[in-house]
Amino acid sequence: MTKRRDSIAVIIILLMCVTTIMGILSLDFSHAYDFENQYGQTISIYGYGIYAFDSYFKAPIFIGTDMCMLFVLVPMFLYTYGKYRNGEDSVSELKLISVYAVVLYYAVSLAFGVTYNRLFLVYVALFSLSLFGMFWHVKKVKWNQTITVTRGLKLYLILSGAALIVAWFPDIIPSIITGDTLSLIEIYTTENTYVLDMGIISPLCFVCLYLLQKREPLGTMILVILLKACIIVGIMMIPQTLCQCASGIEIALPALLTKSASFLILGGFALYFNRRIYRELEEVKTILLKSS
């Protein structure tokens, strides 16, 4: 049996190691200094490592994300790629597509959300490779299976789509009413997470539900991407919150409940549905192999 190859995946794994290790090595909270931003507000700059020019509030979040990517997503990518290389089935390729999608989300956050630094070209390369690598597999995979749409899955997709709006609206609406900028805008001009979550991920939850109900195979492909993203984001909340607490930043209880805790819970349910769906797909694959 000829093993399948994907050079893009190998390069992405190497680039992920570079970005995450450089980020983790920036873990030092003793270099902060005050700075007046473009909005006339005095804010604290992190002042150390690759995130030296990012805000003291955001840098610990970036470092926590890097920890999750290095210790969770990179091993997951390696394992998934190994399964893909040694198999000829569409399920292993579908899993690889979902991991590519999570790397793309991470790469977009770096390329558009982090203050310019020496790793900028690495961010761009990671963004480009994950985008085109994912589309290459989407085009190549022969996928015609659908999954059983349970009431629980429907409810999960609706709640996930709504949660991504509910989580960020309290930050946005007051600024629209008062005409001021976002309360935590700091040195940035916008918040790319709001764009990704409310502009892409949230609508995609409802599009996915529609396609699943229509028994479209594309719905299953989108679903496994969304579930993998929710699982990683749920895990990511833990190191992000720990890094912020270690930095001395006080997180208000309402924010902790509406953001960190809600995403952690959604991630837990995503893990359950992810395991159930792949179990169903594996059972269908076994039946098809026996009948052929």
Side-chain angles (χ1 to χ4, degrees):
M1 182 179 67
T2 303
K3 292 188 176 182
R4 295 185 289 187
R5 297 182 182 275
D6 182 359
S7 300
I8 294 177
V10 176
I11 297 172
I12 284 177
I13 291 169
L14 294 175
L15 292 179
M16 288 276 289
C17 290
V18 172
T19 59
T20 54
I21 291 172
M22 288 292 288
I24 294 170
L25 290 176
S26 302
L27 187 62
D28 188 334
F29 304 123
S30 63
H31 298 268
Y33 59 92
D34 290 338
F35 174 80
E36 185 174 320
N37 65 10
Q38 62 268 47
Y39 310 106
Q41 304 166 340
T42 300
I43 54 100
S44 183
I45 299 295
Y46 188 67
Y48 183 76
I50 207 67
Y51 301 126
F53 300 112
D54 283 284
S55 72
Y56 192 80
F57 178 82
K58 278 292 187 71
I61 296 176
F62 296 147
I63 295 171
T65 301
D66 290 330
M67 290 178 177
C68 178
M69 295 297 109
L70 180 62
F71 298 117
V72 178
L73 190 60
V74 169
M76 183 184 292
F77 206 147
L78 284 168
Y79 175 79
T80 306
Y81 178 56
K83 287 288 187 180
Y84 166 77
R85 270 179 55 85
N86 296 319
E88 292 184 343
D89 60 300
S90 297
V91 175
S92 63
E93 191 160 23
L94 189 67
K95 291 180 179 180
L96 190 61
I97 290 171
S98 68
V99 178
Y100 261 105
V102 178
V103 175
L104 177 60
Y105 185 96
Y106 171 63
V108 170
S109 299
L110 290 174
F112 294 102
V114 172
T115 303
Y116 182 88
N117 60 49
R118 288 172 294 173
L119 290 181
F120 178 72
L121 291 179
V122 180
Y123 298 160
V124 173
L126 191 61
F127 166 70
S128 180
L129 289 169
S130 59
L131 176 66
F132 291 109
M134 182 184 71
F135 281 136
W136 179 68
H137 283 285
V138 169
K139 179 182 180 299
K140 188 168 64 74
V141 67
K142 296 177 181 178
W143 188 255
N144 55 11
Q145 289 179 243
T146 59
I147 53 98
T148 304
V149 185
T150 63
R151 184 178 300 177
L153 182 58
K154 291 180 183 178
L155 182 61
Y156 176 80
L157 287 171
I158 293 171
L159 288 177
S160 296
L164 291 172
I165 296 176
V166 172
W168 305 129
F169 256 39
D171 298 341
I172 299 170
I173 297 301
S175 68
I176 295 175
I177 295 173
T178 62
D180 296 329
T181 188
L182 295 169
S183 59
L184 290 174
I185 194 70
E186 300 185 302
I187 59 172
Y188 308 97
T189 56
T190 189
E191 179 53 73
N192 69 300
T193 302
Y194 298 168
V195 179
L196 292 172
D197 287 358
M198 296 192 299
I200 299 178
I201 306 299
S202 177
L204 205 55
C205 289
F206 298 105
V207 171
C208 177
L209 179 57
Y210 172 79
L211 292 174
L212 288 173
Q213 291 178 321
K214 292 292 184 179
R215 306 295 294 176
E216 293 283 348
L218 180 60
T220 304
M221 187 178 296
I222 295 175
L223 178 62
V224 297
I225 289 173
L226 290 172
L227 291 177
K228 188 62 63 65
C230 286
I231 292 169
I232 296 299
V233 169
I235 297 171
M236 192 188 300
M237 289 296 108
I238 299 172
Q240 283 183 347
T241 303
L242 290 175
C243 283
Q244 282 195 299
C245 291
S247 70
I249 294 173
E250 294 183 2
I251 306 174
L253 183 60
L256 196 62
L257 292 176
T258 58
K259 294 180 177 63
S260 299
S262 61
F263 285 124
L264 188 60
I265 293 171
L266 288 174
F269 280 106
L271 181 62
Y272 164 76
F273 286 117
N274 189 70
R275 295 181 65 180
R276 186 183 68 79
I277 288 165
Y278 278 118
R279 187 164 57 244
E280 180 179 340
L281 294 176
E282 290 291 347
E283 289 173 357
V284 172
K285 184 180 73 174
T286 302
I287 294 172
L288 291 175
L289 288 174
K290 288 181 178 179
S291 62
S292 60

